[in-house]
Amino acid sequence: MPGVTVTTSLRTGGVGANVAPASTLFIIGTSERGPAASPLLLTSFADFEKYFGDYTSSGTLYQHLQVYFEEGGLRAYTQRVIGTGGVAASATLSNTGSAVITLNAVGVGTWANGSASAGLQVVVSGSGATRTVQVKNDGVTVWTSAPLSTRDSIVSDINANVGYLMTATAGATDALPDAATTSFSAGANDSAATAANHTDALTGFGYELGPGVVIIAEQGLAVVSGSSTVGAIIGTHCLANNRLGFVAANSSATGSATLVTDASSLASTLGIENSSYVAAFFPHITVPIRIRNSANSTLTLTVQSTTLAAAKRAQAHLAQGPWRAGAGEIGASNMGAAMATAFNKSIGDTLDDSRINALRVVNDTTRIYGARSISTDETNWRFYTSRDTINFAVGQIEQALEAYVFRPIDSRGNLFAQIAASCTAIMEKVRLAGGLYELVDTSGVALDRGYTVVCDSTNNPAAQIAAGEVRATVNMRVSNIGDTIAVTIYKTGLTSGV
């Protein structure tokens, strides 16, 4: 298929590559309400409440998205998953007993079954040639129309203004609905969503949505899904879509030793290079979560620390780029998160040796304190920032080179030069921001810029050009991060020099 294809590989000589993706989170979980057919892009927790509703004890997205946005997250493609058997509530607006407009709640569940103080209600008022429509959710008016004179204008305005709550379709009778208050009814909850329901939803996060980090809320890496595990399915998705996957233990009660075993098994399943797309975090965290109700109460809930890690990754991207880890000082929780499981330094060292990112309390604040991938190739893939940077470069180059698809390949090399210039411009931005490691000699003279770009006759022979393919080669040497600082202090005697 025509287009821009960027592949990545590991190079052990010359130069090696990476640059960070967008800060986007891709998250899957359960919620009170909302669409389940495709993901929605949210840019605030208010967006989440608008489309996916309030906290429920059976849901997972509410608390995870509140942590993500309050801890500094920026963008989240959010996918609701449902089990089987759920029914969306509905209502009918009528004229003397004949259906004029059919209304269906967005998403299955009893949440929309209406009364004066709960669920969805539609209040139609007016007489003669116009009607005014008012929509209430949980007793609160969320929208009131101007006077409308046709059935079709009512349908159109409902869909345009409260389409996140309900969809309206014209009925058989073309007339204005009677003035009345109509409550939604017949909504039924679905069965509990399975691990397979969650992993199947990954298909909604298409490649075209770009790079980022993927989380399945409260589905641990070793949870069985069909013939595989959640961790393996996330890893496969990330490999195919140039994303990272953040995973955690199966539950807050899972011990560190079990997580070490599970993460090692996952790394073996994915392979040395492909496991560089995955990072594991321990333990879960407890966080005060605001609940939207009459008392605006707060509950202390337990959530995966992966969401905190995703938020701090977003902050690192914003501060510098994907080559900076969302750990350490920038990884500090500002919500008062606490570790759900206490552990000592010995266990922390074991977790680090096992390529699992253990949280840590520094200055009375819980911090993300690791940026390891689970790959056993610690020379090339010790930190997830290396893969993150590569994913970023892939996305940037693909986007930039779209301008040259279907351009003529001229014998003077103009197209080659334009492609090379576009790739070089991207690499320069990364280099100047500190994302590439430049080689210098002992006198400080630069030997290279940390990258090379080649697009000329050397990698574009005539036979290849005849097939309509132009190739460019980009080599990058990604800047590493320092996760350990060692200082030696010597005591000097009073009569000795220092």
Side-chain angles (χ1 to χ4, degrees):
M1 183 177 179
V4 179
T5 301
V6 180
T7 57
T8 64
S9 63
L10 187 62
R11 199 176 164 127
T12 56
V15 204
N18 305 78
V19 173
S23 60
T24 307
L25 168 66
F26 296 83
I27 187 167
I28 292 168
T30 54
S31 62
E32 179 196 40
R33 57 177 170 86
S38 59
L40 291 179
L41 176 60
L42 310 179
T43 57
S44 68
F45 187 63
D47 281 352
F48 175 85
E49 291 179 305
K50 175 180 177 179
Y51 292 104
F52 294 97
D54 300 331
Y55 168 78
T56 64
S57 59
S58 60
T60 57
L61 285 175
Y62 186 96
Q63 52 269 45
H64 279 270
L65 267 299
Q66 188 172 133
V67 169
Y68 177 70
F69 283 114
E70 293 207 9
E71 291 285 2
L74 304 170
R75 292 159 39 96
Y77 276 104
T78 304
Q79 175 70 63
R80 180 196 185 196
V81 291
I82 57 175
T84 59
V87 178
S90 60
T92 301
L93 305 184
S94 303
N95 180 294
T96 61
S98 298
V100 173
I101 298 172
T102 299
L103 304 170
N104 288 289
V106 174
V108 304
T110 59
W111 68 271
N113 292 342
S115 66
S117 59
L120 294 177
Q121 278 193 326
V122 177
V123 181
V124 178
S125 58
S127 60
T130 63
R131 297 289 187 273
T132 298
V133 180
Q134 183 182 63
V135 173
K136 294 182 177 182
N137 182 27
D138 291 340
V140 177
T141 299
V142 294
W143 174 70
T144 302
S145 74
L148 301 170
S149 58
T150 67
R151 176 199 63 177
D152 290 348
S153 63
I154 294 175
V155 169
S156 177
D157 272 26
I158 287 175
N159 289 330
N161 292 281
V162 286
Y164 61 94
L165 290 172
M166 64 184 71
T167 59
T169 56
T173 301
D174 187 0
L176 291 172
D178 295 330
T181 297
T182 304
S183 296
F184 279 60
S185 62
N189 290 329
D190 56 306
S191 61
T194 64
N197 294 141
H198 284 78
T199 54
D200 288 348
L202 281 170
T203 57
F205 296 145
Y207 187 90
E208 71 281 356
L209 298 182
V213 61
V214 178
I215 292 173
I216 298 182
E218 299 310 324
Q219 295 288 320
L221 79 165
V223 170
V224 175
S225 177
S227 59
S228 189
T229 63
V230 168
I233 294 171
I234 288 177
T236 300
H237 168 88
C238 291
L239 170 64
N241 293 279
N242 290 318
R243 295 177 184 137
L244 295 181
F246 282 1
V247 297
N250 285 9
S251 76
S252 60
T254 302
S256 60
T258 300
L259 179 58
V260 167
T261 300
D262 291 342
S264 176
S265 176
L266 176 58
S268 177
T269 298
L270 292 174
I272 291 176
E273 185 170 349
N274 294 350
S275 56
S276 67
Y277 288 87
V278 179
F281 295 84
F282 181 87
H284 282 47
I285 54 174
T286 58
V287 191
I289 299 295
R290 293 178 289 100
I291 306 301
R292 188 175 65 177
N293 56 23
S294 57
N296 290 320
S297 57
T298 299
L299 295 177
T300 298
L301 301 177
T302 301
V303 301
Q304 291 173 336
S305 53
T306 50
T307 312
L308 175 62
K312 298 311 174 182
R313 170 185 172 273
Q315 286 291 288
H317 279 221
L318 187 64
Q320 189 168 3
W323 39 92
R324 178 172 178 178
E329 186 176 42
I330 205 170
S333 170
N334 52 39
M335 288 182 69
M339 290 190 285
T341 303
F343 57 92
N344 58 29
K345 184 180 185 300
S346 175
I347 292 176
D349 290 341
T350 299
L351 289 167
D352 186 66
D353 291 342
S354 303
R355 298 172 296 281
I356 293 170
N357 300 303
L359 276 64
R360 183 172 170 181
V361 175
V362 178
N363 297 331
D364 297 323
T365 303
T366 299
R367 295 183 176 186
I368 299 294
Y369 219 75
R372 303 288 297 271
S373 81
I374 64 170
S375 175
T376 57
D377 182 358
E378 297 195 10
T379 300
N380 295 296
W381 304 115
R382 179 181 177 90
F383 301 111
Y384 73 71
T385 50
S386 292
R387 178 57 67 186
D388 212 6
T389 305
I390 286 180
N391 291 347
F392 174 81
V394 169
Q396 293 290 301
I397 290 174
E398 284 182 336
Q399 187 177 23
L401 298 192
E402 274 296 328
Y404 305 114
V405 178
F406 299 110
R407 295 275 188 96
I409 306 172
D410 62 286
S411 60
R412 296 183 301 277
N414 289 329
L415 180 61
F416 298 159
Q418 290 172 326
I419 290 173
S422 292
C423 293
T424 298
I426 292 168
M427 294 301 102
E428 270 297 289
K429 289 180 181 178
V430 177
R431 182 186 71 85
L432 293 172
L436 299 179
Y437 191 83
E438 305 170 57
L439 284 186
V440 297
D441 63 18
T442 54
S443 59
V445 176
L447 300 176
D448 66 38
R449 289 173 169 261
Y451 71 90
T452 60
V453 176
V454 178
C455 183
D456 54 27
S457 59
T458 62
N459 55 351
N460 286 280
Q464 180 181 294
I465 293 173
E469 181 178 321
V470 177
R471 291 184 182 176
T473 303
V474 178
N475 292 316
M476 305 164 59
R477 186 187 302 111
V478 182
S479 294
N480 215 348
I481 62 172
D483 67 344
T484 302
I485 299 175
V487 177
T488 302
I489 299 177
Y490 295 97
K491 179 189 178 299
T492 302
L494 294 178
T495 58
S496 302
V498 293

